[in-house]
Amino acid sequence: MKKIIYFSVLIFALCPGAVFGEGFEKILTQDSCIQSAIAIHPDILISAQNIEFANQRVLESRALYMPKIAVNLNLSKFNNTDPMVLSGDFTGMPVYLPAGIKNIYYSTRLSAWQGLYSGGRVKTINKLARINLDKVQNEAQSVKIKVVNNVKSAFNDALYNKEKLKLINSLAGKALSEAKSSKNKNSYSLHSELLKKAAAARYNYEKELLNLLNAVGLELNTIADISGEFQPEIKNIDLSRCIVLAYQFKPEMQATQYQESFDSLMLSLLSMQQYPTVSAGAAQEWTGDQIIGDASNWYVSLNVNIPVFDGGATFARVRQGKINVREAALKRSKTEDEVKLLINKAFLEYNFWKQQALQLPEEREKYGEADLDIIYNLNKSYYALELAVGAELNSY
């Protein structure tokens, strides 16, 4: 009975493919995982939709430069003692109805209006739309960095557990061979303990594989295995260079700059509410018993609107805008300090594990569990440093 149990556990630990079938549906490498995540991860797809929405807002703001052309068709039946005007809220455009009785009365109007001067409002609205697009693209870049970093970390976790499983299996095989040759009870006990550790390592590997599939955005029922070299990420990294790269690429740093620009433009836009606006328009109108009636009216108009007094609301909004500008400057300073602290801590942790990794045995066959732990923690700290900087350190 004991032999049967040992054999079953050995099959489970040494031949993991037997549990899931003869082969794997997907063999995942780190590069393939990153490419798949960029293509299918829900967060990245949502970011792409946000960018498209912001693009449409830019197109909408450009339309403010274009003239407004409208056609109004109205059919009315009335009995008016005096002439009256239908509200523009009801018809879309105000419609004049003469005095008298009409069973059918048509009004057809073609009109066009063009803004000539708005005190810089239209130009500022366009700038706001473009800055908003830059903000959304920056947020999308932040999402991409986090997704890719999560994939790297999850792949490192899975690969570490796979290497650990291989090591334990190898030790278990050696212990079994020694037990058979020497018939030493201690060797049999060691073999039994190693089989238990192998089963636990197998469980941890399967769990981390699920985390990897989730990080990539693949279905959790995907049958997969991973392939890759579990090598230490030993790099020559300079702290000051990391901080410079963070100022260039860290989305959180750029987000504060965009917010400052956005708040400054909003303040300008609020100030422009005090400026007059000038527009010109023209319309041709036909009225009568036909859709294109006998009576024809037209006009050309120049309209100037000058704000005089609104109870001080504009001044209050301007003061609110100034407060937002000062708040954005304070947030930028705070974010810079937080990013620098994050980089310093990540750099310190990476250097600690780097020194440990430099003392690893030259021959990989001599690696033990403690050596695998060092490589795992080194790579984990390296990916944490990349996330803190906001850029792949291999590229710069």
Side-chain angles (χ1 to χ4, degrees):
M1 185 65 180
K2 289 183 178 179
K3 290 182 178 179
I4 296 174
I5 295 174
Y6 273 150
F7 181 74
S8 300
V9 175
L10 188 63
I11 289 294
F12 177 75
L14 300 182
C15 305
V19 179
F20 296 97
E22 296 180 355
F24 296 94
E25 182 180 335
K26 289 182 179 294
I27 302 298
L28 304 176
T29 64
Q30 188 181 80
D31 289 340
S32 68
C33 287
I34 291 173
Q35 292 171 4
S36 297
I38 292 174
I40 66 173
H41 197 279
D43 290 344
I44 291 180
L45 296 179
I46 291 171
S47 297
Q49 293 300 309
N50 291 336
I51 291 175
E52 181 59 27
F53 184 85
N55 267 316
Q56 295 303 316
R57 293 291 296 270
V58 172
L59 295 177
E60 179 187 2
S61 67
R62 289 176 184 172
L64 296 174
Y65 287 109
M66 305 300 292
K68 305 297 182 290
I69 300 174
V71 175
N72 178 261
L73 301 174
N74 179 264
L75 172 63
S76 301
K77 178 179 181 180
F78 56 85
N79 184 354
N80 292 339
T81 304
D82 300 302
M84 65 180 297
V85 176
L86 294 181
S87 169
D89 295 335
F90 175 68
T91 63
M93 298 179 66
V95 174
Y96 174 79
L97 300 179
I101 300 175
K102 290 288 185 180
N103 287 325
I104 296 179
Y105 184 79
Y106 292 100
S107 173
T108 305
R109 179 186 298 161
L110 173 65
S111 62
W113 284 89
Q114 174 65 55
L116 302 178
Y117 174 76
S118 62
R121 291 182 182 87
V122 174
K123 184 177 180 180
T124 302
I125 290 173
N126 271 268
K127 287 182 178 179
L128 285 170
R130 289 195 295 271
I131 289 178
N132 181 65
L133 175 59
D134 291 338
K135 278 182 61 179
V136 172
Q137 289 174 335
N138 181 66
E139 291 168 359
Q141 180 65 16
S142 177
V143 169
K144 179 181 176 182
I145 289 172
K146 290 177 181 177
V147 167
V148 171
N149 195 268
N150 287 340
V151 170
K152 288 181 178 180
S153 297
F155 192 88
N156 181 57
D157 293 345
L159 193 57
Y160 160 71
N161 280 282
K162 185 174 183 179
E163 289 294 320
K164 191 174 180 180
L165 177 59
K166 287 181 181 178
L167 177 62
I168 296 173
N169 286 339
S170 177
L171 295 175
K174 291 178 181 179
L176 181 60
S177 298
E178 184 178 343
K180 288 180 178 179
S181 61
S182 63
K183 297 183 179 180
N184 189 333
K185 292 183 178 181
N186 291 333
S187 297
Y188 277 112
S189 298
L190 177 60
H191 177 251
S192 177
E193 290 298 322
L194 287 172
L195 287 182
K196 292 177 182 179
K197 288 184 67 175
R202 176 65 187 179
Y203 161 74
N204 288 330
Y205 171 64
E206 294 296 337
K207 182 175 65 175
E208 296 302 337
L209 190 58
L210 283 175
N211 289 334
L212 176 61
L213 293 174
N214 183 64
V216 173
L218 295 170
E219 294 292 336
L220 296 181
N221 60 356
T222 302
I223 300 175
D225 191 15
I226 61 173
S227 174
E229 291 292 329
F230 191 59
Q231 298 290 346
E233 296 280 359
I234 300 177
K235 312 288 183 182
N236 292 322
I237 301 173
D238 181 66
L239 177 60
S240 59
R241 180 59 178 162
C242 288
I243 294 176
V244 170
L245 289 174
Y247 273 98
Q248 289 180 302
F249 300 106
K250 183 71 170 174
E252 287 80 354
M253 300 279 267
Q254 295 179 357
T256 58
Q257 298 171 12
Y258 289 133
Q259 190 61 46
E260 274 193 283
S261 300
F262 190 87
D263 289 339
S264 296
L265 284 173
M266 283 297 298
L267 177 60
S268 299
L269 186 62
L270 291 170
S271 301
M272 292 170 187
Q273 301 300 319
Q274 306 171 59
Y275 300 156
T277 58
V278 180
S279 58
Q284 176 74 44
E285 183 180 73
W286 297 269
T287 59
D289 296 335
Q290 305 296 325
I291 294 179
I292 303 299
D294 297 332
S296 177
N297 306 293
W298 64 270
Y299 68 82
V300 176
S301 173
L302 180 67
N303 184 67
V304 179
N305 184 54
I306 304 174
V308 177
F309 180 71
D310 62 356
T314 299
F315 295 106
R317 286 193 291 266
V318 169
R319 287 193 291 270
Q320 293 171 34
K322 291 179 178 179
I323 292 172
N324 286 335
V325 169
R326 289 194 294 269
E327 182 181 354
L330 292 171
K331 286 182 177 180
R332 176 175 58 81
S333 178
K334 179 184 177 183
T335 299
E336 289 177 359
D337 291 340
E338 290 175 346
V339 170
K340 289 178 183 177
L341 175 61
L342 193 62
I343 291 174
N344 274 272
K345 292 169 70 174
F347 182 79
L348 184 65
E349 182 179 2
Y350 174 74
N351 272 342
F352 171 79
W353 290 112
K354 179 181 175 182
Q355 295 304 316
Q356 301 290 319
L358 291 174
Q359 301 175 21
L360 290 172
E362 293 184 4
E363 299 179 11
R364 190 174 183 86
E365 291 74 14
K366 295 182 180 179
Y367 282 2
E369 288 190 56
D371 299 319
L372 295 180
D373 290 342
I374 290 173
I375 297 175
Y376 167 73
N377 286 302
L378 174 68
N379 293 349
K380 184 178 180 181
S381 63
Y382 177 75
Y383 299 139
L385 181 58
E386 280 192 328
L387 182 61
V389 172
E392 293 188 6
L393 298 177
N394 279 335
S395 304
Y396 303 97

